[in-house]
Amino acid sequence: MFKFKQFTIEQDKCAMKVGTDGVLLGAWTPVDNNPYAILDIGSGTGLLALMMAQRTDAEQIDGVEIDEAAHEQAINNFENSPWGDRLFCYHAGLEQFATEIDEEYDLIISNPPFFSEDVLSNDTQRDTARFQEALPFDLLIEAVEFFLSEKGIFSVIIPAKEEDKLIHLAAEFGIYPMKVTRVRGHKDAEIKRSLIAFSRTFIEKIPLDELIIEIDRHVYTPEFTALVKDFYLKM
């Protein structure tokens, strides 16, 4: 299990465990629009939905997860949290979910599978969780356009090399970046991740910054610490 300050994640049934990417996304995601309804696409353990429950007063926080074991684990993590009455996880693929659910969400968040290299492991569950083919960007953006409210925000973390691709694809659906943060492991490392928040409003000059995680091994930058201190026990 993984213990945070206000909740615990059981993750023995999930292919993808709690990692820095998910915590970063959950802590970084803008919530200034005071979302009433939130959707976590590809919920996994339920980490992002739980982080949103801690950070917001949203009345409705839904997850959607295709893997049956992960879905069960998310439900259990929700029920064992302080916010069980606000959290629910659907067991469905994204296309099925879109045909059955007619909702608008003020915030959509996703840590999508993005291991797009042509190297498969022998673990089908892990491959489904990690591989882009399981949730291609075009399907993700199409779902976001369908579910996102007029003033809604879509927040995502992806490999930095995929940033331009996703931004151009989203623009085809009338979804535009409003904030971008590029992430380095340390100051001399290459940029590995992009955190991007989108909205339906086109902005000419997108706010862009960088986040460095470590000064040295297990010595974290003040910026990273400030971002995640409400969640990690030892921050």
Side-chain angles (χ1 to χ4, degrees):
M1 70 173 65
F2 199 106
K3 288 192 172 185
F4 291 94
K5 285 182 176 174
Q6 295 191 36
F7 60 90
T8 298
I9 295 285
E10 298 279 356
Q11 52 182 359
D12 57 296
K13 296 177 183 174
C14 286
M16 297 307 295
K17 311 302 184 188
V18 170
T20 305
D21 283 0
V23 178
L24 264 179
L25 178 61
W28 175 90
T29 291
V31 293
D32 311 10
N33 65 335
N34 298 313
Y36 174 87
I38 297 174
L39 176 63
D40 172 16
I41 295 176
S43 232
T45 60
L47 170 66
L48 290 173
L50 285 159
M51 292 181 76
M52 292 302 99
Q54 180 178 326
R55 290 188 60 206
T56 75
D57 295 321
E59 293 287 329
Q60 176 187 350
I61 304 174
D62 293 335
V64 56
E65 172 55 52
I66 193 170
D67 181 79
E68 186 174 0
H71 166 259
E72 287 178 14
Q73 191 127 67
I75 290 284
N76 289 336
N77 287 331
F78 291 170
E79 288 175 350
N80 292 327
S81 79
W83 313 288
D85 59 334
R86 299 160 55 201
L87 292 154
F88 186 78
C89 190
Y90 293 88
H91 179 216
L94 191 51
E95 287 172 290
Q96 179 190 349
F97 181 73
T99 60
E100 294 179 1
I101 304 299
D102 186 21
E103 293 274 1
E104 273 197 346
Y105 293 94
D106 308 306
L107 175 62
I108 300 175
I109 189 167
S110 185
N111 178 10
F114 49 61
F115 192 79
S116 57
E117 282 78 3
D118 299 324
V119 182
L120 291 163
S121 75
N122 293 321
D123 185 336
T124 305
Q125 188 188 22
R126 186 171 175 82
D127 289 343
T128 301
R130 293 188 75 197
F131 275 69
Q132 218 166 288
E133 288 70 27
L135 181 58
F137 283 160
D138 54 353
L139 175 60
L140 177 61
I141 293 296
E142 194 171 351
V144 168
E145 197 283 326
F146 180 76
F147 285 116
L148 195 66
S149 68
E150 193 57 38
K151 303 293 185 185
I153 291 169
F154 166 51
S155 185
V156 66
I157 186 167
I158 56 169
K161 65 181 182 180
E162 305 279 7
E163 183 184 304
D164 285 347
K165 175 183 174 183
L166 185 64
I167 287 174
H168 282 103
L169 179 63
E172 293 176 16
F173 288 84
I175 308 290
Y176 307 101
M178 56 179 279
K179 178 183 177 185
V180 178
T181 296
R182 294 172 180 156
V183 183
R184 299 180 192 268
H186 56 84
K187 66 179 177 65
D188 298 320
E190 63 179 305
I191 294 169
K192 280 290 182 75
R193 298 284 183 264
S194 291
L195 291 152
I196 314 174
F198 293 86
S199 76
R200 294 188 183 275
T201 303
F202 178 76
I203 298 172
E204 192 70 47
K205 189 168 178 59
I206 305 156
L208 172 65
D209 60 14
E210 280 190 16
L211 175 69
I212 297 169
I213 294 175
E214 291 182 318
I215 299 167
D216 210 340
R217 187 70 176 152
H218 300 309
V219 180
Y220 299 103
T221 63
E223 293 78 13
F224 177 75
T225 301
L227 193 60
V228 300
K229 64 180 172 55
D230 289 342
F231 299 97
Y232 282 131
L233 284 174
K234 296 180 180 177
M235 290 283 186

